[in-house]
Amino acid sequence: MNYVFEMREIPAVAVAGTEDSFPVHRIYCVGQNYAKHAREMGANPEREAPFFFSKPADAVCPEGARLPYPLATENFHHEIELVVAIGKKGTHVSASEALDYVFGYAVGFDLTRRDLQGEAKKKGRPWATAKGFDNSAPCSAVHSVGEVGHLERGKITLSVNGELRQQGDISEMICSVPEIISSLSSFFEICPGDLIFTGTPSGVGPLKRGDSLEGEVENLDRLHITIV
Ligand code: MN
């Protein structure tokens, strides 16, 4: 194949405890999946099917990244999330079989230009510029199911400059991981390499240049980035 310019490397995240990489196919995100966060966003956290938005695969960036404050925002927010890494292809996956499709789990930040999101919501427009921008998906190494098993509960926290900002437990998710996979696979063929950001607990807030973020999900890594 003769490409008209050099092909970019496939975006990838590390696989914890190995020299291997997990090549990223797509990034899907679930909106408002913790009741307290849905309320802080002015929504009513009713039990209903999850809703999805996406980010480009090359929005991933690794542990330790130093990220420039993004373009076009004056209200840049942090969201800490449990990330599910998919390892098997499927459509119409039932919730009872969904965990068979999981390769592993990681810690991610769904970085958000909240001002652009607010405007998009008001005008009924897509969230692409609010959510799918450059470097908007920092992600830790993926821990394989063989290493950590499946995660049903565990603390999820985010600190900025050492100060606790977000705190919850992944057992508080409105839609569980199997329900999310089942629903997502009714809209898209899920594929090895897909990452699913599963929603954030309450306490989201603004970031500024110089801020150091540390996110943690119990039994997984810490994810640390700096805004420059
Ligand atoms: Mn989110």
Side-chain angles (χ1 to χ4, degrees):
M1 190 77 71
N2 196 31
Y3 295 106
V4 294
F5 43 78
E6 203 180 321
M7 224 175 79
R8 294 178 64 124
E9 247 178 66
I10 292 174
V13 293
V15 177
T18 73
E19 300 290 303
D20 299 337
S21 293
F22 179 91
V24 179
H25 174 245
R26 289 183 186 164
I27 302 176
Y28 298 104
C29 306
V30 181
Q32 297 173 358
N33 200 24
Y34 289 77
K36 270 195 237 164
H37 171 64
R39 279 189 215 104
E40 78 181 345
M41 293 283 92
N44 184 13
E46 278 179 29
R47 165 98 199 149
E48 53 180 27
F51 72 89
F52 299 100
F53 57 91
S54 61
K55 295 177 185 261
D58 68 357
V60 284
C61 42
E63 155 63 24
R66 295 170 60 80
L67 304 180
Y69 191 93
L71 302 173
T73 185
E74 283 168 13
N75 196 14
F76 176 41
H77 271 209
H78 56 75
E79 298 190 358
I80 167 100
E81 313 208 350
L82 170 69
V83 178
V84 177
I86 296 294
K88 193 170 130 184
K89 194 178 264 208
T91 52
H92 295 295
V93 174
S94 67
S96 61
E97 290 175 346
L99 293 181
D100 297 344
Y101 291 75
V102 177
F103 172 85
Y105 298 91
V107 183
F109 296 148
D110 166 17
L111 299 177
T112 301
R113 296 193 281 209
R114 195 71 73 197
D115 40 2
L116 300 189
Q117 188 191 30
E119 232 169 277
K121 282 182 180 172
K122 237 189 291 172
K123 296 179 177 167
R125 287 182 179 164
W127 289 5
T129 61
K131 290 288 198 178
F133 53 98
D134 301 332
N135 302 314
S136 59
C139 189
S140 75
V142 174
H143 292 259
S144 68
V145 169
E147 183 198 353
V148 293
H150 289 289
L151 306 181
E152 286 172 6
R153 55 188 54 77
K155 276 199 199 96
I156 178 167
T157 56
L158 180 139
S159 302
V160 179
N161 305 325
E163 183 194 316
L164 187 65
R165 293 263 193 100
Q166 291 191 259
Q167 188 174 20
D169 193 288
I170 58 173
S171 63
E172 296 161 358
M173 286 197 270
I174 296 171
C175 292
S176 66
V177 168
E179 290 166 338
I180 290 167
I181 292 170
S182 177
S183 176
L184 183 67
S185 70
S186 72
F187 292 103
F188 305 98
E189 180 177 60
I190 57 169
C191 284
D194 289 343
L195 294 177
I196 309 172
F197 283 60
T198 58
T200 197
S202 61
V204 300
L207 294 167
K208 56 184 189 329
R209 284 185 185 82
D211 279 348
S212 164
L213 284 72
E214 190 166 273
E216 190 173 5
V217 175
E218 207 175 328
N219 300 315
L220 299 179
D221 271 340
R222 285 182 183 197
L223 174 60
H224 170 251
I225 62 161
T226 309
I227 309 302
V228 297

